């Protein structure tokens, strides 16, 4: 009959914190051993509206630099930093500002001719 006791070893400190968590796992030989549980990484969010960015996996920064570039970003301007709707609003805002400048210039020319 296998032993149902297990010890939580593998780290120096003994405090029950969020990073120092283990769970019992039964091996094929019927022995209970401790397995370390790591914290989950947070999903990347948009810099403007804080919505979760689709198409980018949740990775810790230490793991993220080892992944390929296509897994870290989206092939779009501001890809991997800002969501598509915020990019669209930035483009529209920039276009409207340029249009407004052009209209002011035309009105100033018409006022100068009179």
């Amino acid at each position: 009959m296998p032993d149902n006791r297990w010890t939580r070893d593998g780290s120096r400190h003994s405090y029950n914190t969020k990073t120092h968590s283990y769970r019992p796992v039964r091996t094929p030989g019927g022995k209970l051993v401790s397995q370390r549980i790591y914290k989950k990484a947070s999903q990347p969010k948009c810099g403007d509206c804080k919505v979760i960015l689709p198409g980018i996996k949740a990775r810790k920064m230490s793991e993220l630099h080892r992944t390929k570039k296509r897994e870290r970003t989206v092939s779009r301007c501001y890809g991997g930093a800002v969501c598509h709707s915020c990019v669209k609003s930035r483009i529209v805002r920039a276009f409207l500002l340029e249009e407004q400048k052009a209209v002011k210039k035309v009105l100033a020319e018409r006022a100068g001719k009179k």
Side-chain angles (χ1 to χ4, degrees), residues 20-32:
H20 186 255
S21 55
Y22 293 85
R23 70 173 184 180
V25 174
R26 190 164 307 277
T27 61
K31 198 167 76 171
L32 273 178

Side-chain angles (χ1 to χ4, degrees), residues 86-103:
C86 292
V87 171
K88 183 180 175 183
S89 64
R90 282 184 187 200
I91 292 169
V92 169
R93 190 184 313 131
F95 174 75
L96 290 175
L97 283 172
E98 290 297 318
E99 285 290 311
Q100 192 177 17
K101 286 178 188 174
V103 168

